[in-house]
């Protein structure tokens, strides 16, 4: 019952209230971005949704307009050169993710779920297939995000996503939600250009 009805119900209620409550702060963020680097404040990117259907994910733009598109940050050469001053704060605080409330309201995402992969992150998509993690709506945050985020190697990240799908329930979503709040305040797991940084540190 939770998977089929209440999860979507909570997504609608939370995203709609979030948009109404955070409307003015989001407008201020958009103005700051446009002042620093003229261009659209919102950044749209093709991502993989439920059942591997593509959708356009929305974020606040945290990088310059001349940044290569459809390239994961960790694959850019010296990604720091592209990140806006305001973008550093937005990424560290996860405020750049706020526009995804509209993706959630539209039914393309959920509050909790595996983070949506880029359309060309074939290695992550393939790993997630092993755990049926592509069979659910991607989330604003998820089990992998509260267990390492950018620091996780792709096989580890996919395994955490699989654990989420296997244990999907109201209680587990609630656990992810509150752990996310703690991780955001501590800026845990945020590594610029750093997918797999945890493993790299060991080496």
């Amino acid at each position: 019952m939770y998977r089929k009805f209440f999860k979507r119900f909570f997504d609608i209620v939370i995203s709609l209230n979030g948009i109404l409550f955070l409307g003015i702060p989001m407008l201020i963020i958009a103005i700051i971005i446009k002042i620093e680097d003229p261009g659209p404040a919102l950044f749209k990117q093709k991502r993989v949704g439920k059942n591997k259907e593509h959708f356009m994910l929305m974020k606040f733009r945290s990088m310059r307009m001349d940044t290569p598109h459809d390239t994961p940050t960790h694959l850019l050469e010296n990604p720091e050169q592209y990140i806006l001053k305001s973008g550093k704060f937005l990424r560290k605080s996860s405020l750049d993710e706020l526009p995804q409330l509209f993706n959630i309201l539209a039914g393309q995402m959920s509050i909790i779920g595996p983070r949506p992969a880029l359309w060309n992150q074939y290695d992550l998509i393939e790993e997630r297939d092993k755990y049926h993690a592509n069979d659910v709506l991607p989330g604003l945050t998820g089990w992998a995000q509260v267990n390492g985020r950018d620091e996780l190697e792709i096989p580890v990240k996919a395994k955490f996503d699989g654990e989420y799908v296997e244990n999907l329930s109201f209680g587990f979503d609630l656990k992810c939600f509150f752990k996310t709040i703690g991780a955001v305040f501590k800026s845990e797991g945020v590594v610029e250009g750093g997918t797999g940084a945890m493993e790299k540190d060991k080496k």
Side-chain angles (χ1 to χ4, degrees):
M1 180 65 99
Y2 175 71
R3 291 193 183 206
K4 293 184 178 180
F5 176 76
F6 283 107
K7 185 172 174 63
R8 178 61 188 151
F9 172 76
F10 289 135
D11 283 341
I12 293 171
V13 171
I14 294 172
S15 61
L16 184 58
N17 278 279
I19 291 167
L20 294 174
F21 182 72
L22 297 169
I24 293 177
M26 285 197 284
L27 179 60
I28 293 171
I29 290 172
I31 292 171
I32 291 172
I33 293 169
K34 290 182 74 67
I35 290 174
E36 183 177 354
D37 188 57
L42 288 179
F43 175 67
K44 296 182 179 180
Q45 195 173 51
K46 187 162 70 172
R47 297 287 183 117
V48 178
K50 183 178 179 181
N51 298 322
K52 293 189 280 191
E53 292 185 3
H54 293 161
F55 72 99
M56 299 305 292
L57 175 140
M58 293 190 289
K59 300 178 76 169
F60 279 122
R61 182 167 59 89
S62 60
M63 306 184 88
R64 297 193 330 239
M65 288 296 296
D66 60 347
T67 305
H69 289 278
D70 288 330
T71 303
T73 306
H74 69 281
L75 293 181
L76 291 173
E77 186 176 343
N78 188 19
E80 287 282 348
Q81 67 178 312
Y82 297 108
I83 300 173
L84 300 173
K85 292 179 181 178
S86 58
K88 288 184 179 181
F89 173 75
L90 290 175
R91 285 175 164 230
K92 193 170 184 179
S93 62
S94 295
L95 290 174
D96 61 324
E97 312 285 1
L98 286 179
Q100 286 159 52
L101 290 170
F102 291 98
N103 289 120
I104 294 168
L105 188 62
Q108 299 164 326
M109 292 178 62
S110 179
I111 298 294
I112 312 294
R115 281 297 294 164
L118 276 166
W119 66 273
N120 57 359
Q121 283 184 292
Y122 305 115
D123 47 356
L124 177 58
I125 297 167
E126 186 177 346
E127 281 293 319
R128 283 178 168 172
D129 270 337
K130 298 176 183 178
Y131 304 102
H132 304 288
N134 292 313
D135 300 342
V136 299
L137 282 175
L140 182 63
T141 184
W143 189 232
Q145 274 55 54
V146 299
N147 282 284
R149 197 171 172 175
D150 297 331
E151 297 179 341
L152 299 175
E153 288 281 301
I154 283 174
V156 179
K157 184 181 291 187
K159 190 173 182 179
F160 274 123
D161 291 332
E163 286 180 14
Y164 171 75
V165 174
E166 187 177 344
N167 295 286
L168 202 163
S169 64
F170 175 71
F172 202 66
D173 274 4
L174 209 59
K175 183 177 181 179
C176 289
F177 181 80
F178 284 113
K179 283 178 73 71
T180 296
I181 293 174
V184 167
F185 277 113
K186 296 176 184 177
S187 297
E188 290 178 347
V190 181
V191 181
E192 292 303 348
T195 292
M198 191 177 287
E199 188 62 29
K200 289 173 187 173
D201 286 344
K202 290 178 183 178
K203 295 178 181 177

